[in-house]
Amino acid sequence: MLKVNDINVFYGNIQALKGVSLEVNEGEVVTLIGANGAGKSTLLKTLSGLLKPKKGTIEYVGSSIAGKQAQSIVKAGISHVPEGRRVFANMTVEENLELGAYLRKDKDGIAKDLQRVFELFPRLLERRKQLSGTLSGGEQQMLAMGRAIMAKPKLLLLDEPSMGLAPLMVKTIFSIIREINKEGTTILLVEQNAHMALSVADRAYVIETGRIVLSGTAKELQETEEVKAAYLGGL
Ligand code: ATP
């Protein structure tokens, strides 16, 4: 479904991605794990059209999307939930969700997906009239994910959904990620929480200072000494 081949991405003179290649197949949950500053968010921003690779190719269901406008990438079926959530604080939960569907015209489909989001996240249904800025961190994460689902993505890009959340909320969010995937959405998940990410993923890549250094099935990586020592706290 997605084929990233040998991309280089720069911020001015600083090279954040150095020859990164990875693949995501339809139906998979793939995770990209790595420390602070490794380049995880940069990769997602490049996939969703916010940054342009200087070199390399990005193929999504057979066509090139490298350097395309963010809006046409959303239209093609890729939705990005950025790090830090970024919901519109002065709008209600429901208004934020409706905004997620702004490129769609199928009213019936939109209404159906709103129902589906409320089924996945009952907490959002309870709070549909609440201003989003007053939601807890976990609720804002749910809202950001719900808003992305409203775009009806085939591929969902999630940037550190566990960040800053209490352990119980992290569990809830990850079980919803699994649910979304089961219902047919392919997922690329960027995480520092390698333990949770590897427990939900089919396959994984490890990124260090802009380079992919390891890849394999999530099970294989869970059992790799290097991953255990560096990312699983020696577990
Ligand atoms: P984190 O988990 O801390 O968010 P990350 O793996 O997502 O880390 P990136 O945000 O992709 O890392 O950053 C990769 C590198 O690019 C870092 O060295 C960072 O300082 C640099 N970088 C990111 N954004 C910018 C920017 N706007 N201008 C200059 N350098 C940047």
Side-chain angles (χ1 to χ4, degrees):
M1 176 178 230
L2 179 76
K3 241 184 209 167
V4 177
N5 185 35
D6 201 19
I7 60 167
N8 288 348
V9 176
F10 290 78
Y11 295 102
N13 293 325
I14 300 165
Q15 185 169 5
L17 297 182
K18 301 165 185 165
V20 167
S21 300
L22 60 79
E23 273 184 44
V24 180
N25 301 309
E26 192 167 352
E28 280 187 316
V29 177
V30 173
T31 186
L32 176 67
I33 57 181
N36 281 121
K40 305 180 300 296
S41 300
T42 301
L43 178 73
L44 293 196
K45 286 179 190 162
T46 308
L47 295 177
S48 61
L50 304 173
L51 295 169
K52 279 185 188 158
K54 221 174 200 172
K55 187 189 139 214
T57 58
I58 305 173
E59 240 182 64
Y60 167 69
V61 286
S63 18
S64 164
I65 56 162
K68 274 207 174 165
Q69 283 207 335
Q71 184 160 321
S72 63
I73 292 176
V74 175
K75 264 196 179 152
I78 300 180
S79 249
H80 183 183
V81 181
E83 192 176 0
R85 292 122 208 177
R86 309 235 179 83
V87 296
F88 296 100
N90 293 323
M91 294 170 74
T92 66
V93 166
E94 198 160 29
E95 286 164 347
N96 266 279
L97 291 174
E98 282 162 359
L99 261 186
Y102 79 109
L103 290 173
R104 297 174 60 183
K105 299 209 167 62
D106 54 324
K107 274 203 173 152
D108 292 351
I110 293 171
K112 232 187 229 164
D113 283 338
L114 188 63
Q115 272 323 107
R116 182 173 162 238
V117 167
F118 286 144
E119 277 162 26
L120 279 170
F121 304 101
R123 191 78 74 91
L124 296 182
L125 178 62
E126 284 165 27
R127 290 162 190 277
R128 65 200 288 177
K129 302 287 179 211
Q130 189 171 326
L131 286 183
S132 304
T134 64
L135 295 173
S136 75
E139 289 162 357
Q140 289 191 19
Q141 181 61 48
M142 292 177 183
L143 180 55
M145 288 169 64
R147 192 177 55 192
I149 289 170
M150 290 304 294
K152 209 175 173 59
K154 297 188 186 83
L155 174 63
L156 186 61
L157 310 176
L158 296 175
D159 197 344
E160 296 207 25
S162 77
M163 196 175 62
L165 303 185
L168 198 61
M169 185 58 86
V170 173
K171 271 200 172 158
T172 305
I173 294 287
F174 274 82
S175 77
I176 294 167
I177 291 172
R178 213 174 275 143
E179 188 66 37
I180 294 169
N181 174 249
K182 260 202 221 140
E183 290 178 3
T185 310
T186 306
I187 293 175
L188 177 57
L189 166 70
V190 154
E191 262 297 342
Q192 277 193 56
N193 186 336
H195 180 64
M196 287 306 285
L198 290 174
S199 74
V200 77
D202 300 301
R203 289 189 307 110
Y205 294 84
V206 178
I207 185 167
E208 277 173 14
T209 55
R211 284 198 176 86
I212 302 287
V213 293
L214 279 171
S215 66
T217 65
K219 254 219 170 105
E220 281 166 359
L221 289 197
Q222 270 169 333
E223 285 156 12
T224 306
E225 291 308 321
E226 234 177 309
V227 173
K228 280 191 201 170
Y231 300 100
L232 297 174
L235 288 174

